[in-house]
mmCIF file of all heavy atoms in Angstrom:
data_model
loop_
_atom_site.group_PDB
_atom_site.id
_atom_site.type_symbol
_atom_site.label_atom_id
_atom_site.label_comp_id
_atom_site.label_asym_id
_atom_site.label_seq_id
_atom_site.Cartn_x
_atom_site.Cartn_y
_atom_site.Cartn_z
ATOM 1 N N MET A 1 195.044 76.276 79.986
ATOM 2 C CA MET A 1 194.607 75.601 81.209
ATOM 3 C C MET A 1 195.839 75.259 82.047
ATOM 4 O O MET A 1 196.509 74.275 81.807
ATOM 5 C CB MET A 1 193.843 74.332 80.842
ATOM 6 C CG MET A 1 193.255 73.629 82.051
ATOM 7 S SD MET A 1 192.183 72.260 81.615
ATOM 8 C CE MET A 1 193.388 70.962 81.402
ATOM 9 N N GLN A 2 196.139 76.132 82.982
ATOM 10 C CA GLN A 2 197.284 75.927 83.867
ATOM 11 C C GLN A 2 196.911 76.394 85.273
ATOM 12 O O GLN A 2 196.026 77.227 85.454
ATOM 13 C CB GLN A 2 198.496 76.713 83.393
ATOM 14 C CG GLN A 2 199.048 76.227 82.065
ATOM 15 C CD GLN A 2 200.276 77.001 81.633
ATOM 16 O OE1 GLN A 2 200.399 78.178 81.903
ATOM 17 N NE2 GLN A 2 201.195 76.324 80.963
ATOM 18 N N CYS A 3 197.635 75.881 86.252
ATOM 19 C CA CYS A 3 197.363 76.256 87.645
ATOM 20 C C CYS A 3 197.373 77.767 87.843
ATOM 21 O O CYS A 3 196.576 78.298 88.625
ATOM 22 C CB CYS A 3 198.373 75.596 88.578
ATOM 23 S SG CYS A 3 198.209 73.802 88.681
ATOM 24 N N GLN A 4 198.247 78.456 87.167
ATOM 25 C CA GLN A 4 198.371 79.892 87.397
ATOM 26 C C GLN A 4 197.100 80.667 87.057
ATOM 27 O O GLN A 4 196.924 81.788 87.532
ATOM 28 C CB GLN A 4 199.548 80.452 86.614
ATOM 29 C CG GLN A 4 199.424 80.336 85.116
ATOM 30 C CD GLN A 4 200.681 80.794 84.403
ATOM 31 O OE1 GLN A 4 201.444 81.582 84.929
ATOM 32 N NE2 GLN A 4 200.897 80.263 83.212
ATOM 33 N N THR A 5 196.199 80.094 86.253
ATOM 34 C CA THR A 5 194.947 80.776 85.937
ATOM 35 C C THR A 5 193.745 80.072 86.555
ATOM 36 O O THR A 5 192.602 80.404 86.258
ATOM 37 C CB THR A 5 194.754 80.883 84.414
ATOM 38 O OG1 THR A 5 194.703 79.568 83.848
ATOM 39 C CG2 THR A 5 195.869 81.693 83.776
ATOM 40 N N CYS A 6 193.989 79.124 87.439
ATOM 41 C CA CYS A 6 192.920 78.329 88.060
ATOM 42 C C CYS A 6 192.405 79.038 89.319
ATOM 43 O O CYS A 6 193.170 79.642 90.074
ATOM 44 C CB CYS A 6 193.454 76.951 88.426
ATOM 45 S SG CYS A 6 192.235 75.891 89.255
ATOM 46 N N ALA A 7 191.124 78.926 89.553
ATOM 47 C CA ALA A 7 190.506 79.550 90.722
ATOM 48 C C ALA A 7 191.026 78.973 92.031
ATOM 49 O O ALA A 7 190.938 79.628 93.064
ATOM 50 C CB ALA A 7 188.997 79.367 90.650
ATOM 51 N N PHE A 8 191.569 77.776 92.002
ATOM 52 C CA PHE A 8 192.017 77.119 93.231
ATOM 53 C C PHE A 8 193.499 77.307 93.511
ATOM 54 O O PHE A 8 194.016 76.795 94.492
ATOM 55 C CB PHE A 8 191.693 75.618 93.171
ATOM 56 C CG PHE A 8 190.245 75.366 92.919
ATOM 57 C CD1 PHE A 8 189.827 74.763 91.749
ATOM 58 C CD2 PHE A 8 189.291 75.754 93.841
ATOM 59 C CE1 PHE A 8 188.487 74.535 91.498
ATOM 60 C CE2 PHE A 8 187.946 75.538 93.607
ATOM 61 C CZ PHE A 8 187.539 74.930 92.427
ATOM 62 N N PHE A 9 194.176 78.033 92.668
ATOM 63 C CA PHE A 9 195.609 78.259 92.837
ATOM 64 C C PHE A 9 195.836 79.382 93.836
ATOM 65 O O PHE A 9 195.322 80.486 93.689
ATOM 66 C CB PHE A 9 196.238 78.608 91.492
ATOM 67 C CG PHE A 9 197.723 78.813 91.539
ATOM 68 C CD1 PHE A 9 198.568 77.794 91.924
ATOM 69 C CD2 PHE A 9 198.275 80.027 91.170
ATOM 70 C CE1 PHE A 9 199.943 77.978 91.960
ATOM 71 C CE2 PHE A 9 199.655 80.226 91.193
ATOM 72 C CZ PHE A 9 200.487 79.200 91.599
ATOM 73 N N HIS A 10 196.632 79.103 94.870
ATOM 74 C CA HIS A 10 196.999 80.104 95.878
ATOM 75 C C HIS A 10 198.414 80.545 95.556
ATOM 76 O O HIS A 10 199.388 79.889 95.944
ATOM 77 C CB HIS A 10 196.900 79.477 97.269
ATOM 78 C CG HIS A 10 197.216 80.442 98.380
ATOM 79 N ND1 HIS A 10 196.442 81.526 98.664
ATOM 80 C CD2 HIS A 10 198.228 80.461 99.273
ATOM 81 C CE1 HIS A 10 196.952 82.193 99.685
ATOM 82 N NE2 HIS A 10 198.046 81.569 100.075
ATOM 83 N N ALA A 11 198.514 81.646 94.831
ATOM 84 C CA ALA A 11 199.793 82.087 94.282
ATOM 85 C C ALA A 11 200.878 82.367 95.327
ATOM 86 O O ALA A 11 202.033 81.997 95.104
ATOM 87 C CB ALA A 11 199.578 83.308 93.398
ATOM 88 N N PRO A 12 200.567 82.998 96.469
ATOM 89 C CA PRO A 12 201.653 83.328 97.400
ATOM 90 C C PRO A 12 202.482 82.114 97.834
ATOM 91 O O PRO A 12 203.671 82.247 98.110
ATOM 92 C CB PRO A 12 200.925 83.964 98.587
ATOM 93 C CG PRO A 12 199.683 84.530 97.992
ATOM 94 C CD PRO A 12 199.286 83.555 96.911
ATOM 95 N N LYS A 13 201.843 80.941 97.915
ATOM 96 C CA LYS A 13 202.574 79.745 98.339
ATOM 97 C C LYS A 13 202.594 78.679 97.247
ATOM 98 O O LYS A 13 202.991 77.547 97.501
ATOM 99 C CB LYS A 13 201.964 79.185 99.627
ATOM 100 C CG LYS A 13 202.124 80.146 100.806
ATOM 101 C CD LYS A 13 201.706 79.517 102.102
ATOM 102 C CE LYS A 13 202.000 80.480 103.249
ATOM 103 N NZ LYS A 13 201.615 79.923 104.546
ATOM 104 N N SER A 14 202.137 79.017 96.057
ATOM 105 C CA SER A 14 202.093 78.098 94.920
ATOM 106 C C SER A 14 201.405 76.784 95.293
ATOM 107 O O SER A 14 201.884 75.696 95.007
ATOM 108 C CB SER A 14 203.510 77.828 94.386
ATOM 109 O OG SER A 14 203.437 77.315 93.070
ATOM 110 N N GLN A 15 200.239 76.921 95.934
ATOM 111 C CA GLN A 15 199.502 75.745 96.408
ATOM 112 C C GLN A 15 198.205 75.561 95.626
ATOM 113 O O GLN A 15 197.604 76.528 95.162
ATOM 114 C CB GLN A 15 199.132 75.914 97.888
ATOM 115 C CG GLN A 15 200.317 75.972 98.819
ATOM 116 C CD GLN A 15 199.913 76.415 100.197
ATOM 117 O OE1 GLN A 15 198.939 77.155 100.377
ATOM 118 N NE2 GLN A 15 200.650 75.965 101.197
ATOM 119 N N CYS A 16 197.771 74.310 95.555
ATOM 120 C CA CYS A 16 196.441 73.995 95.055
ATOM 121 C C CYS A 16 195.526 73.864 96.270
ATOM 122 O O CYS A 16 195.776 73.076 97.173
ATOM 123 C CB CYS A 16 196.431 72.685 94.278
ATOM 124 S SG CYS A 16 194.742 72.193 93.830
ATOM 125 N N ARG A 17 194.442 74.620 96.282
ATOM 126 C CA ARG A 17 193.511 74.577 97.407
ATOM 127 C C ARG A 17 192.139 74.087 96.968
ATOM 128 O O ARG A 17 191.118 74.491 97.516
ATOM 129 C CB ARG A 17 193.443 75.947 98.073
ATOM 130 C CG ARG A 17 194.796 76.316 98.690
ATOM 131 C CD ARG A 17 194.680 77.448 99.640
ATOM 132 N NE ARG A 17 195.935 77.621 100.371
ATOM 133 C CZ ARG A 17 196.103 78.495 101.347
ATOM 134 N NH1 ARG A 17 195.116 79.263 101.711
ATOM 135 N NH2 ARG A 17 197.260 78.581 101.965
ATOM 136 N N ARG A 18 192.138 73.177 96.002
ATOM 137 C CA ARG A 18 190.877 72.602 95.537
ATOM 138 C C ARG A 18 190.201 71.819 96.648
ATOM 139 O O ARG A 18 188.975 71.840 96.796
ATOM 140 C CB ARG A 18 191.146 71.688 94.326
ATOM 141 C CG ARG A 18 189.945 70.911 93.844
ATOM 142 C CD ARG A 18 188.897 71.838 93.278
ATOM 143 N NE ARG A 18 187.745 71.136 92.776
ATOM 144 C CZ ARG A 18 186.630 70.930 93.487
ATOM 145 N NH1 ARG A 18 186.531 71.370 94.726
ATOM 146 N NH2 ARG A 18 185.608 70.291 92.951
ATOM 147 N N TYR A 19 190.977 71.114 97.444
ATOM 148 C CA TYR A 19 190.445 70.302 98.542
ATOM 149 C C TYR A 19 191.108 70.723 99.851
ATOM 150 O O TYR A 19 192.121 71.414 99.862
ATOM 151 C CB TYR A 19 190.700 68.811 98.280
ATOM 152 C CG TYR A 19 189.988 68.315 97.060
ATOM 153 C CD1 TYR A 19 190.681 68.087 95.880
ATOM 154 C CD2 TYR A 19 188.611 68.097 97.070
ATOM 155 C CE1 TYR A 19 190.021 67.642 94.741
ATOM 156 C CE2 TYR A 19 187.946 67.661 95.940
ATOM 157 C CZ TYR A 19 188.652 67.438 94.779
ATOM 158 O OH TYR A 19 187.993 67.011 93.660
ATOM 159 N N ALA A 20 190.556 70.269 100.947
ATOM 160 C CA ALA A 20 191.114 70.571 102.266
ATOM 161 C C ALA A 20 192.534 70.019 102.371
ATOM 162 O O ALA A 20 192.891 69.066 101.664
ATOM 163 C CB ALA A 20 190.234 69.948 103.342
ATOM 164 N N PRO A 21 193.334 70.597 103.263
ATOM 165 C CA PRO A 21 194.694 70.073 103.441
ATOM 166 C C PRO A 21 194.670 68.587 103.786
ATOM 167 O O PRO A 21 193.774 68.121 104.484
ATOM 168 C CB PRO A 21 195.236 70.897 104.612
ATOM 169 C CG PRO A 21 194.393 72.113 104.654
ATOM 170 C CD PRO A 21 193.040 71.718 104.145
ATOM 171 N N GLN A 22 195.666 67.874 103.308
ATOM 172 C CA GLN A 22 195.730 66.431 103.514
ATOM 173 C C GLN A 22 196.838 66.082 104.505
ATOM 174 O O GLN A 22 197.875 66.745 104.548
ATOM 175 C CB GLN A 22 196.021 65.720 102.180
ATOM 176 C CG GLN A 22 194.930 65.931 101.145
ATOM 177 C CD GLN A 22 193.596 65.362 101.575
ATOM 178 O OE1 GLN A 22 193.495 64.179 101.884
ATOM 179 N NE2 GLN A 22 192.570 66.204 101.634
ATOM 180 N N PRO A 23 196.620 65.026 105.307
ATOM 181 C CA PRO A 23 197.644 64.625 106.281
ATOM 182 C C PRO A 23 198.949 64.234 105.593
ATOM 183 O O PRO A 23 198.942 63.634 104.523
ATOM 184 C CB PRO A 23 197.026 63.407 106.967
ATOM 185 C CG PRO A 23 195.592 63.447 106.639
ATOM 186 C CD PRO A 23 195.453 64.163 105.337
ATOM 187 N N GLN A 24 200.039 64.604 106.234
ATOM 188 C CA GLN A 24 201.363 64.234 105.730
ATOM 189 C C GLN A 24 202.244 63.874 106.920
ATOM 190 O O GLN A 24 202.369 64.660 107.864
ATOM 191 C CB GLN A 24 201.966 65.398 104.958
ATOM 192 C CG GLN A 24 203.381 65.137 104.449
ATOM 193 C CD GLN A 24 203.885 66.286 103.604
ATOM 194 O OE1 GLN A 24 203.349 66.578 102.550
ATOM 195 N NE2 GLN A 24 204.905 66.972 104.078
ATOM 196 N N ALA A 25 202.846 62.698 106.876
ATOM 197 C CA ALA A 25 203.703 62.250 107.969
ATOM 198 C C ALA A 25 204.972 63.076 108.040
ATOM 199 O O ALA A 25 205.525 63.477 107.025
ATOM 200 C CB ALA A 25 204.042 60.781 107.776
ATOM 201 N N GLU A 26 205.397 63.342 109.263
ATOM 202 C CA GLU A 26 206.662 64.024 109.509
ATOM 203 C C GLU A 26 207.469 63.163 110.472
ATOM 204 O O GLU A 26 207.006 62.139 110.945
ATOM 205 C CB GLU A 26 206.428 65.410 110.106
ATOM 206 C CG GLU A 26 205.850 66.391 109.115
ATOM 207 C CD GLU A 26 205.822 67.809 109.665
ATOM 208 O OE1 GLU A 26 205.760 67.986 110.900
ATOM 209 O OE2 GLU A 26 205.865 68.734 108.870
ATOM 210 N N ASN A 27 208.659 63.604 110.774
ATOM 211 C CA ASN A 27 209.546 62.815 111.635
ATOM 212 C C ASN A 27 208.903 62.394 112.947
ATOM 213 O O ASN A 27 208.963 61.240 113.340
ATOM 214 C CB ASN A 27 210.825 63.608 111.923
ATOM 215 C CG ASN A 27 211.667 63.794 110.675
ATOM 216 O OD1 ASN A 27 211.531 63.041 109.708
ATOM 217 N ND2 ASN A 27 212.515 64.786 110.679
ATOM 218 N N SER A 28 208.276 63.325 113.645
ATOM 219 C CA SER A 28 207.740 63.000 114.963
ATOM 220 C C SER A 28 206.227 63.151 115.033
ATOM 221 O O SER A 28 205.669 63.384 116.094
ATOM 222 C CB SER A 28 208.398 63.903 116.007
ATOM 223 O OG SER A 28 208.160 65.263 115.676
ATOM 224 N N GLY A 29 205.545 63.020 113.916
ATOM 225 C CA GLY A 29 204.103 63.155 113.935
ATOM 226 C C GLY A 29 203.546 63.381 112.550
ATOM 227 O O GLY A 29 204.032 62.800 111.590
ATOM 228 N N ALA A 30 202.520 64.228 112.485
ATOM 229 C CA ALA A 30 201.893 64.489 111.200
ATOM 230 C C ALA A 30 201.422 65.936 111.163
ATOM 231 O O ALA A 30 201.241 66.571 112.192
ATOM 232 C CB ALA A 30 200.720 63.547 110.970
ATOM 233 N N THR A 31 201.228 66.405 109.976
ATOM 234 C CA THR A 31 200.688 67.751 109.772
ATOM 235 C C THR A 31 199.735 67.664 108.583
ATOM 236 O O THR A 31 199.596 66.616 107.974
ATOM 237 C CB THR A 31 201.825 68.770 109.512
ATOM 238 O OG1 THR A 31 201.280 70.070 109.472
ATOM 239 C CG2 THR A 31 202.548 68.472 108.215
ATOM 240 N N ALA A 32 199.065 68.748 108.293
ATOM 241 C CA ALA A 32 198.160 68.779 107.141
ATOM 242 C C ALA A 32 198.651 69.851 106.178
ATOM 243 O O ALA A 32 198.988 70.955 106.598
ATOM 244 C CB ALA A 32 196.738 69.083 107.576
ATOM 245 N N VAL A 33 198.697 69.514 104.917
ATOM 246 C CA VAL A 33 199.252 70.439 103.924
ATOM 247 C C VAL A 33 198.416 70.451 102.647
ATOM 248 O O VAL A 33 197.787 69.473 102.283
ATOM 249 C CB VAL A 33 200.701 70.058 103.548
ATOM 250 C CG1 VAL A 33 201.616 70.158 104.742
ATOM 251 C CG2 VAL A 33 200.762 68.679 102.927
ATOM 252 N N TRP A 34 198.426 71.602 101.989
ATOM 253 C CA TRP A 34 197.915 71.684 100.625
ATOM 254 C C TRP A 34 199.044 71.299 99.689
ATOM 255 O O TRP A 34 200.212 71.652 99.947
ATOM 256 C CB TRP A 34 197.465 73.107 100.297
ATOM 257 C CG TRP A 34 196.131 73.464 100.820
ATOM 258 C CD1 TRP A 34 194.915 73.069 100.331
ATOM 259 C CD2 TRP A 34 195.838 74.320 101.930
ATOM 260 N NE1 TRP A 34 193.906 73.631 101.077
ATOM 261 C CE2 TRP A 34 194.443 74.405 102.062
ATOM 262 C CE3 TRP A 34 196.625 75.041 102.835
ATOM 263 C CZ2 TRP A 34 193.809 75.162 103.034
ATOM 264 C CZ3 TRP A 34 196.003 75.796 103.802
ATOM 265 C CH2 TRP A 34 194.613 75.848 103.904
ATOM 266 N N PRO A 35 198.748 70.639 98.598
ATOM 267 C CA PRO A 35 199.822 70.282 97.673
ATOM 268 C C PRO A 35 200.433 71.503 96.993
ATOM 269 O O PRO A 35 199.718 72.454 96.667
ATOM 270 C CB PRO A 35 199.136 69.370 96.650
ATOM 271 C CG PRO A 35 197.695 69.626 96.788
ATOM 272 C CD PRO A 35 197.444 70.135 98.177
ATOM 273 N N THR A 36 201.727 71.471 96.837
ATOM 274 C CA THR A 36 202.434 72.509 96.098
ATOM 275 C C THR A 36 202.419 72.136 94.621
ATOM 276 O O THR A 36 202.672 70.992 94.259
ATOM 277 C CB THR A 36 203.890 72.621 96.587
ATOM 278 O OG1 THR A 36 203.865 72.957 97.975
ATOM 279 C CG2 THR A 36 204.639 73.707 95.833
ATOM 280 N N VAL A 37 202.095 73.111 93.791
ATOM 281 C CA VAL A 37 202.055 72.882 92.338
ATOM 282 C C VAL A 37 202.893 73.946 91.637
ATOM 283 O O VAL A 37 203.188 74.989 92.207
ATOM 284 C CB VAL A 37 200.604 72.915 91.808
ATOM 285 C CG1 VAL A 37 199.793 71.759 92.363
ATOM 286 C CG2 VAL A 37 199.936 74.243 92.138
ATOM 287 N N ALA A 38 203.232 73.671 90.404
ATOM 288 C CA ALA A 38 203.944 74.651 89.579
ATOM 289 C C ALA A 38 202.921 75.459 88.787
ATOM 290 O O ALA A 38 201.814 74.985 88.521
ATOM 291 C CB ALA A 38 204.902 73.940 88.624
ATOM 292 N N VAL A 39 203.293 76.667 88.425
ATOM 293 C CA VAL A 39 202.356 77.523 87.694
ATOM 294 C C VAL A 39 201.912 76.901 86.368
ATOM 295 O O VAL A 39 200.798 77.146 85.901
ATOM 296 C CB VAL A 39 202.933 78.933 87.455
ATOM 297 C CG1 VAL A 39 203.111 79.682 88.753
ATOM 298 C CG2 VAL A 39 204.241 78.861 86.677
ATOM 299 N N ASP A 40 202.761 76.058 85.785
ATOM 300 C CA ASP A 40 202.402 75.450 84.497
ATOM 301 C C ASP A 40 201.890 74.022 84.639
ATOM 302 O O ASP A 40 201.737 73.321 83.646
ATOM 303 C CB ASP A 40 203.577 75.519 83.522
ATOM 304 C CG ASP A 40 204.815 74.796 84.030
ATOM 305 O OD1 ASP A 40 204.862 74.454 85.228
ATOM 306 O OD2 ASP A 40 205.732 74.576 83.219
ATOM 307 N N ASP A 41 201.586 73.593 85.884
ATOM 308 C CA ASP A 41 200.909 72.310 86.074
ATOM 309 C C ASP A 41 199.434 72.462 85.710
ATOM 310 O O ASP A 41 198.940 73.576 85.500
ATOM 311 C CB ASP A 41 200.991 71.876 87.548
ATOM 312 C CG ASP A 41 202.320 71.260 87.927
ATOM 313 O OD1 ASP A 41 203.060 70.838 87.018
ATOM 314 O OD2 ASP A 41 202.605 71.188 89.132
ATOM 315 N N TRP A 42 198.717 71.384 85.683
ATOM 316 C CA TRP A 42 197.272 71.429 85.495
ATOM 317 C C TRP A 42 196.689 70.087 85.933
ATOM 318 O O TRP A 42 197.432 69.120 86.142
ATOM 319 C CB TRP A 42 196.895 71.711 84.039
ATOM 320 C CG TRP A 42 197.293 70.625 83.092
ATOM 321 C CD1 TRP A 42 198.519 70.460 82.510
ATOM 322 C CD2 TRP A 42 196.502 69.533 82.657
ATOM 323 N NE1 TRP A 42 198.526 69.343 81.732
ATOM 324 C CE2 TRP A 42 197.290 68.751 81.799
ATOM 325 C CE3 TRP A 42 195.189 69.128 82.895
ATOM 326 C CZ2 TRP A 42 196.805 67.582 81.187
ATOM 327 C CZ3 TRP A 42 194.713 67.980 82.280
ATOM 328 C CH2 TRP A 42 195.527 67.232 81.443
ATOM 329 N N CYS A 43 195.379 70.037 86.114
ATOM 330 C CA CYS A 43 194.715 68.760 86.395
ATOM 331 C C CYS A 43 193.268 68.860 85.930
ATOM 332 O O CYS A 43 192.809 69.915 85.503
ATOM 333 C CB CYS A 43 194.801 68.420 87.873
ATOM 334 S SG CYS A 43 193.542 69.215 88.889
ATOM 335 N N GLY A 44 192.566 67.752 86.050
ATOM 336 C CA GLY A 44 191.181 67.679 85.580
ATOM 337 C C GLY A 44 190.200 68.463 86.430
ATOM 338 O O GLY A 44 189.032 68.617 86.052
ATOM 339 N N GLU A 45 190.622 68.986 87.556
ATOM 340 C CA GLU A 45 189.747 69.797 88.419
ATOM 341 C C GLU A 45 189.825 71.281 88.078
ATOM 342 O O GLU A 45 189.214 72.110 88.756
ATOM 343 C CB GLU A 45 190.145 69.601 89.884
ATOM 344 C CG GLU A 45 189.989 68.189 90.388
ATOM 345 C CD GLU A 45 188.526 67.783 90.561
ATOM 346 O OE1 GLU A 45 187.692 68.670 90.787
ATOM 347 O OE2 GLU A 45 188.236 66.579 90.446
ATOM 348 N N TYR A 46 190.582 71.602 87.065
ATOM 349 C CA TYR A 46 190.790 73.015 86.701
ATOM 350 C C TYR A 46 189.474 73.767 86.564
ATOM 351 O O TYR A 46 188.522 73.262 85.973
ATOM 352 C CB TYR A 46 191.558 73.110 85.380
ATOM 353 C CG TYR A 46 191.731 74.534 84.895
ATOM 354 C CD1 TYR A 46 192.799 75.301 85.309
ATOM 355 C CD2 TYR A 46 190.796 75.094 84.028
ATOM 356 C CE1 TYR A 46 192.958 76.613 84.869
ATOM 357 C CE2 TYR A 46 190.935 76.403 83.579
ATOM 358 C CZ TYR A 46 192.016 77.157 84.004
ATOM 359 O OH TYR A 46 192.156 78.446 83.573
ATOM 360 N N ARG A 47 189.467 74.980 87.111
ATOM 361 C CA ARG A 47 188.328 75.872 86.909
ATOM 362 C C ARG A 47 188.875 77.291 86.719
ATOM 363 O O ARG A 47 189.614 77.780 87.571
ATOM 364 C CB ARG A 47 187.386 75.838 88.100
ATOM 365 C CG ARG A 47 186.079 76.577 87.830
ATOM 366 C CD ARG A 47 185.091 76.445 88.941
ATOM 367 N NE ARG A 47 184.852 75.062 89.312
ATOM 368 C CZ ARG A 47 184.262 74.687 90.444
ATOM 369 N NH1 ARG A 47 183.882 75.598 91.313
ATOM 370 N NH2 ARG A 47 184.065 73.422 90.708
ATOM 371 N N ALA A 48 188.514 77.903 85.642
ATOM 372 C CA ALA A 48 189.000 79.259 85.370
ATOM 373 C C ALA A 48 188.539 80.215 86.453
ATOM 374 O O ALA A 48 187.430 80.095 86.977
ATOM 375 C CB ALA A 48 188.507 79.719 84.010
ATOM 376 N N LYS A 49 189.379 81.161 86.810
ATOM 377 C CA LYS A 49 189.026 82.122 87.869
ATOM 378 C C LYS A 49 187.716 82.823 87.569
ATOM 379 O O LYS A 49 186.887 83.005 88.448
ATOM 380 C CB LYS A 49 190.146 83.144 88.026
ATOM 381 C CG LYS A 49 191.387 82.574 88.664
ATOM 382 C CD LYS A 49 192.475 83.623 88.769
ATOM 383 C CE LYS A 49 193.725 82.996 89.364
ATOM 384 N NZ LYS A 49 194.852 83.942 89.379
ATOM 385 N N ASP A 50 187.516 83.235 86.352
ATOM 386 C CA ASP A 50 186.298 83.951 85.996
ATOM 387 C C ASP A 50 185.048 83.084 86.125
ATOM 388 O O ASP A 50 183.974 83.593 86.381
ATOM 389 C CB ASP A 50 186.398 84.487 84.569
ATOM 390 C CG ASP A 50 187.431 85.602 84.466
ATOM 391 O OD1 ASP A 50 187.840 86.127 85.513
ATOM 392 O OD2 ASP A 50 187.821 85.926 83.338
ATOM 393 N N ALA A 51 185.188 81.764 86.000
ATOM 394 C CA ALA A 51 184.041 80.868 86.088
ATOM 395 C C ALA A 51 183.435 80.887 87.484
ATOM 396 O O ALA A 51 182.225 80.802 87.657
ATOM 397 C CB ALA A 51 184.447 79.448 85.703
ATOM 398 N N THR A 52 184.276 81.009 88.519
ATOM 399 C CA THR A 52 183.755 81.009 89.885
ATOM 400 C C THR A 52 183.068 82.337 90.201
ATOM 401 O O THR A 52 182.141 82.381 90.991
ATOM 402 C CB THR A 52 184.872 80.755 90.903
ATOM 403 O OG1 THR A 52 185.888 81.727 90.737
ATOM 404 C CG2 THR A 52 185.470 79.370 90.739
ATOM 405 N N LYS A 53 183.515 83.419 89.589
ATOM 406 C CA LYS A 53 182.879 84.707 89.835
ATOM 407 C C LYS A 53 181.470 84.724 89.263
ATOM 408 O O LYS A 53 180.579 85.359 89.800
ATOM 409 C CB LYS A 53 183.715 85.826 89.205
ATOM 410 C CG LYS A 53 185.042 86.055 89.915
ATOM 411 C CD LYS A 53 185.842 87.141 89.237
ATOM 412 C CE LYS A 53 187.184 87.326 89.910
ATOM 413 N NZ LYS A 53 188.048 88.238 89.166
ATOM 414 N N ALA A 54 181.268 84.023 88.158
ATOM 415 C CA ALA A 54 179.958 84.004 87.517
ATOM 416 C C ALA A 54 178.985 83.078 88.238
ATOM 417 O O ALA A 54 177.780 83.234 88.124
ATOM 418 C CB ALA A 54 180.106 83.565 86.055
ATOM 419 N N ALA A 55 179.510 82.114 89.016
ATOM 420 C CA ALA A 55 178.635 81.129 89.676
ATOM 421 C C ALA A 55 177.935 81.727 90.889
ATOM 422 O O ALA A 55 178.355 82.683 91.460
ATOM 423 C CB ALA A 55 179.446 79.913 90.088
HETATM 424 S S1 SF4 B 101 194.568 73.009 87.868
HETATM 425 FE FE1 SF4 B 101 194.195 71.403 89.373
HETATM 426 S S2 SF4 B 101 196.112 71.197 90.502
HETATM 427 FE FE2 SF4 B 101 196.149 73.181 89.465
HETATM 428 S S3 SF4 B 101 195.360 74.651 90.950
HETATM 429 FE FE3 SF4 B 101 193.649 73.979 89.679
HETATM 430 S S4 SF4 B 101 192.700 72.311 90.787
HETATM 431 FE FE4 SF4 B 101 194.755 72.618 91.635
#
């Protein structure tokens, strides 16, 4: 159970896309970003890639 095998992992940018991008403050304003994760991270929202194909 790791991000690298999770259905919500966006490998090209190593992002978790389980939820919509979240606001993040910047120097002169704000932007919205997906969280960056490591391939060997994990969380309780994990869903195997194959599980979403079967749903
Ligand atoms: S395991 Fe959690 S943090 Fe990692 S990609 Fe999946 S939903 Fe995101």
Side-chain angles (χ1 to χ4, degrees):
M1 185 173 84
Q2 294 182 327
C3 292
Q4 63 185 335
T5 61
C6 178
F8 304 115
F9 182 61
H10 182 66
K13 295 188 175 180
S14 199
Q15 295 168 331
C16 173
R17 296 195 170 185
R18 174 66 179 95
Y19 297 104
Q22 298 297 304
Q24 177 176 296
E26 289 189 333
N27 293 339
S28 58
T31 187
V33 297
W34 280 285
T36 300
V37 294
V39 294
D40 60 347
D41 281 341
W42 65 276
C43 83
E45 298 288 333
Y46 176 87
R47 189 175 307 164
K49 288 179 182 175
D50 291 345
T52 57
K53 290 179 182 172

